Amino acid sequence: MSATSPRFISAIEMIGGLSRGHFDQQRMRFRLYRRCHHAGWALRRCATCNIVDRARAACSTCSQGFATEVFSRGGSFCVRHRRWHFAGEDELVFPADACRRAEQALAGRLWSRGVTMHTGEFALAMRLILASRRESAPQDGNPLVHAYAAVVELLVTLTLPEVALGLVALAESDSRQVEGLIGLTVGAGRGARTAELEAAATVVVKSHRAAMYAATHMPSSSGATVTTTPFEKGIAEAAYRERAVLLRHVTRAGHRIDSAGYPVRGAPASRVVSRRIVPGWADSAPPDK
């Protein structure tokens, strides 16, 4: 919920010649798709939560040279001016076809899946792609620009529900899941199998399997001994605890296995879990276990 005074906002709208309620209407357009208890954990743009993405640096050409931040769909490449504008950087990209396609995917398919540059999935995919190029990274230019298209291509695949499930399912072999993630990364990034990629893929699979276990074994409350929390709520909470962002795209538990593992802490109230699924939560420290 915004802490800005409505009077202050009205004054800005008046001074700028904007219609009354302009900023509220814009915020409605850019509410994020997310899962919360208000919609039964279905992927929706919730008016009650009213969550928008974190602000991004705008293209310097679009803003006429002024340092400007924007709230909008998309990433860090300006399709109109072919400029890379991530975190204050300003670089003309040529050729721009790959970055343009990536930007369109981030503003389209990935947006409708609740994925932005700030929700954690992008950082995970970037880590994997850069690890696959560690031995053949270009000596000149911005490595993030060179990796942008590959990162988005990998994200489009990793956030498919069936792919995400295949990488976290407890009934599958963890070594097979690591090999699958390595293969997807190399294929998207045109990189190679490196020691860094093997290590990164192993960590990702390990954390996501731990989160999947927690999601399917999570008691419905701190004092519950028999009932478990609904699967969708458990997924949201476990993804937060383990920083397992791909788990948010799993829509079913898959084949369950009986295993005597570690005890899982009970789920908090639904309103608490819903507040955790916001841009930037993956950058903060998870709660104590």
Side-chain angles (χ1 to χ4, degrees):
M1 184 67 68
S2 174
T4 305
S5 169
R7 292 183 179 181
F8 184 66
I9 295 176
S10 296
I12 294 177
E13 291 171 342
M14 183 179 299
I15 294 172
L18 302 173
S19 60
R20 186 178 181 85
H22 170 82
F23 291 111
D24 284 340
Q25 294 173 4
Q26 291 298 308
R27 187 179 182 90
M28 289 172 59
R29 290 178 57 198
F30 300 121
R31 284 178 186 148
L32 292 184
Y33 285 88
R34 55 198 294 277
R35 300 181 188 276
C36 69
H37 67 292
H38 298 114
W41 305 103
L43 189 63
R44 297 286 188 274
R45 294 196 293 180
C46 179
T48 303
C49 292
N50 196 24
I51 300 297
V52 297
D53 196 16
R54 289 163 59 183
R56 308 191 317 276
C59 166
S60 61
T61 304
C62 290
S63 63
Q64 300 180 356
F66 293 98
T68 306
E69 290 188 329
V70 296
F71 294 90
S72 64
R73 295 166 59 159
S76 292
F77 178 74
C78 177
V79 174
R80 178 181 299 176
H81 300 113
R82 299 183 300 177
R83 302 199 76 86
W84 174 259
H85 53 88
F86 177 75
E89 298 172 353
D90 183 27
E91 180 179 339
L92 180 65
V93 178
F94 185 82
D97 289 347
C99 282
R100 184 183 68 253
R101 289 192 297 269
E103 186 70 18
Q104 291 168 340
L106 199 56
R109 282 178 291 177
L110 290 175
W111 171 267
S112 64
R113 297 175 188 175
V115 177
T116 77
M117 293 191 71
H118 303 122
T119 53
E121 294 93 336
F122 188 91
L124 182 149
M126 178 68 78
R127 174 185 176 191
L128 292 169
I129 290 295
L130 292 182
S132 73
R133 297 180 172 183
R134 194 70 67 192
E135 298 174 358
S136 59
Q139 299 300 315
D140 56 344
N142 188 328
L144 297 183
V145 176
H146 290 294
Y148 186 57
V151 168
V152 174
E153 181 178 339
L154 180 59
L155 272 181
V156 170
T157 300
L158 293 182
T159 56
L160 288 169
E162 291 303 317
V163 174
L165 176 60
L167 293 172
V168 306
L170 300 177
E172 298 290 338
S173 164
D174 56 348
S175 60
R176 183 176 180 178
Q177 290 168 331
V178 170
E179 290 300 316
L181 184 55
I182 290 173
L184 291 173
T185 302
V186 172
R190 283 72 174 171
R193 185 189 186 104
T194 65
E196 290 83 357
L197 177 57
E198 291 177 350
T202 300
V203 170
V204 170
V205 168
K206 181 179 179 180
S207 64
H208 280 72
R209 285 178 65 90
M212 187 64 165
Y213 178 88
T216 54
H217 292 77
M218 189 176 296
S220 57
S221 66
S222 59
T225 58
V226 178
T227 59
T228 57
T229 194
F231 176 71
E232 294 79 7
K233 178 181 176 181
I235 284 289
E237 175 65 13
Y240 169 78
R241 292 182 186 179
E242 302 292 340
R243 300 187 186 185
V245 291
L246 298 181
L247 198 68
R248 299 193 300 117
H249 302 279
V250 174
T251 56
R252 61 186 181 89
H255 179 64
R256 294 179 182 267
I257 60 173
D258 295 326
S259 60
Y262 58 88
V264 177
R265 182 159 48 92
S270 294
R271 64 180 183 278
V272 175
V273 178
S274 294
R275 285 200 300 266
R276 288 173 174 170
I277 315 174
V278 297
W281 64 263
D283 300 330
S284 61
D288 294 333
K289 296 182 181 180

